[in-house]
Amino acid sequence: MSNFSETRSLFADHDDVVAVPALPKGRTPSYMRDHRKRLRERFMTGGAVAMPDYELLELILFRAIPRQDVKPLARDLLDRFGDFNRVLSAPLSQLTEVKGVGHAVVVELKVVEAAAHRLARAKVMQRHVVSSWQALLDYCHTVMAHRDTEQFRILYLDTKNVLIADEEQARGTVDHVPVYPREVVKRALELNATSIILVHNHPSGDPTPSQADIDMTHQIDDAARALGITVHDHLIIGKSCELSFRSQGLMC
C-alpha cells in the first residue's frame, strides 16, 4: 500500500486538504515546485502590478521556507496587518506573534523593507527638492506611512535647496512624538543647513494636524528664524495622502 500524507493543495480552497504521496525528507513536492515556478515566471513577465498582495508575499516567503506551502502564512499575515506594506513594516514583536513566522521569515521581510527604503531614499538624496518633490513625497510615504507609532524626521537642505541629510529626530506613541525645537535647530547648524523640512506621520491614517502639531511647528519656525534658518514646510504623512502646512496656510 502506498504511503500518503495530508497536505494543503495550492489549487484548492484555503481550508481544503488533499492526499499526496509522502516524500523523502528534504524533497519538495512537484506540484509545489511547479507553483513556485509559475509565480516567479508571472512576476518576471507581468511584474508586481499583475499580482495580488498574497502572491507577492509568497514570493518573499519562498526563500525563507523552501519546502512548505506558504500561501496560508501569506494570507494570515495579510489578515493580521491589512496589506503588503503593513506586513513589511510591522514591528518584529508583532510579526513573531503570527504562527509560522520565525527568524528566517522576519529576515526576508525586513530585507525587502530595507531595500525599498534605500531605493526611495536614493532618489531624493543630493537632489534639488523642488525638482524632485514627488520623489520626496514617495520616499516619506515609503518609510513612514505604515508605521504604528509616530515618527518625526527632518530633511536638511543647503543654500541651493539640495537635500543633504535626512534624519529621524524622534519616535513616539500612537498619537504623540516629543520634539525639541532647540535640538532641531542645533542639528541644522551642525550640518550647515540653511533650510529644513519637517515631516511626521499619523498612524491613524488621517493627516489632519492637531493643535499640538501646529504649536510645535510655530515653535521650531521661531527658533529657526532667529538663527537664519528657513522652515520650508511641515508634512504630515497619512496612510494614502499627505498634508502640507505651507499649502494649507498654516505657516507664515
Side-chain angles (χ1 to χ4, degrees):
M1 180 181 293
S2 299
N3 182 24
F4 285 85
S5 63
E6 289 191 338
T7 305
R8 281 194 173 119
S9 169
L10 291 169
F11 308 105
D13 291 336
H14 186 69
D15 293 325
D16 287 347
V17 176
V18 296
V20 298
L23 295 173
K25 185 177 180 179
R27 292 286 300 278
T28 303
S30 59
Y31 76 88
M32 194 179 300
R33 291 197 301 270
D34 293 344
H35 172 69
R36 293 184 175 208
K37 180 181 178 181
R38 284 194 296 271
L39 269 192
R40 290 178 175 125
E41 288 176 346
R42 280 179 50 211
F43 177 77
M44 294 306 296
T45 301
V49 176
M51 306 186 78
D53 282 359
Y54 78 89
E55 289 186 338
L56 276 179
L57 275 179
E58 280 191 81
L59 287 172
I60 298 172
L61 295 173
F62 287 167
R63 291 174 52 85
I65 307 175
R67 289 180 293 275
Q68 181 180 318
D69 178 4
V70 297
K71 183 186 291 185
L73 178 56
R75 291 190 181 278
D76 287 346
L77 285 166
L78 289 171
D79 287 344
R80 170 66 186 273
F81 299 107
D83 59 34
F84 182 80
N85 293 323
R86 287 186 179 274
V87 171
L88 293 183
S89 59
L92 301 183
S93 60
Q94 294 183 22
L95 282 171
T96 54
E97 290 175 355
V98 178
K99 185 178 180 180
V101 174
H103 178 73
V105 169
V106 169
V107 168
E108 291 298 330
L109 293 174
K110 289 306 174 184
V111 165
V112 174
E113 181 191 27
H117 289 185
R118 184 164 295 189
L119 179 61
R121 190 172 189 269
K123 293 180 179 180
V124 297
M125 289 304 300
Q126 303 301 321
R127 305 289 179 89
H128 191 276
V129 167
V130 174
S131 61
S132 58
W133 187 250
Q134 187 56 53
L136 182 67
L137 294 178
D138 291 343
Y139 167 62
C140 292
H141 276 281
T142 298
V143 299
M144 302 176 76
H146 302 284
R147 293 181 176 273
D148 59 359
T149 57
E150 286 198 12
Q151 179 191 64
F152 191 85
R153 306 184 75 86
I154 305 173
L155 310 179
Y156 299 93
L157 315 175
D158 66 11
T159 55
K160 296 181 180 180
N161 283 330
V162 170
L163 183 60
I164 57 175
D166 154 46
E167 295 182 356
E168 179 182 334
Q169 202 270 345
R171 292 187 184 186
T173 63
V174 294
D175 59 2
H176 173 71
V177 60
V179 180
Y180 305 99
R182 180 177 177 181
E183 294 300 317
V184 173
V185 176
K186 177 183 177 182
R187 184 57 178 156
L189 293 174
E190 292 173 349
L191 294 168
N192 291 319
T194 57
S195 58
I196 59 177
I197 297 174
L198 313 176
V199 191
H200 86 277
N201 64 308
H202 278 182
S204 67
D206 180 2
T208 303
S210 65
Q211 188 59 50
D213 292 334
I214 296 171
D215 293 343
M216 175 266 292
T217 302
H218 291 163
Q219 291 169 11
I220 294 176
D221 192 32
D222 290 342
R225 283 174 181 270
L227 294 173
I229 299 170
T230 301
V231 179
H232 281 313
D233 208 341
H234 183 174
L235 303 173
I236 299 182
I237 306 299
K239 183 176 181 180
S240 59
C241 61
E242 71 285 333
L243 179 140
S244 160
F245 272 51
R246 182 70 64 184
S247 297
Q248 294 296 314
L250 297 173
M251 298 184 68
C252 299

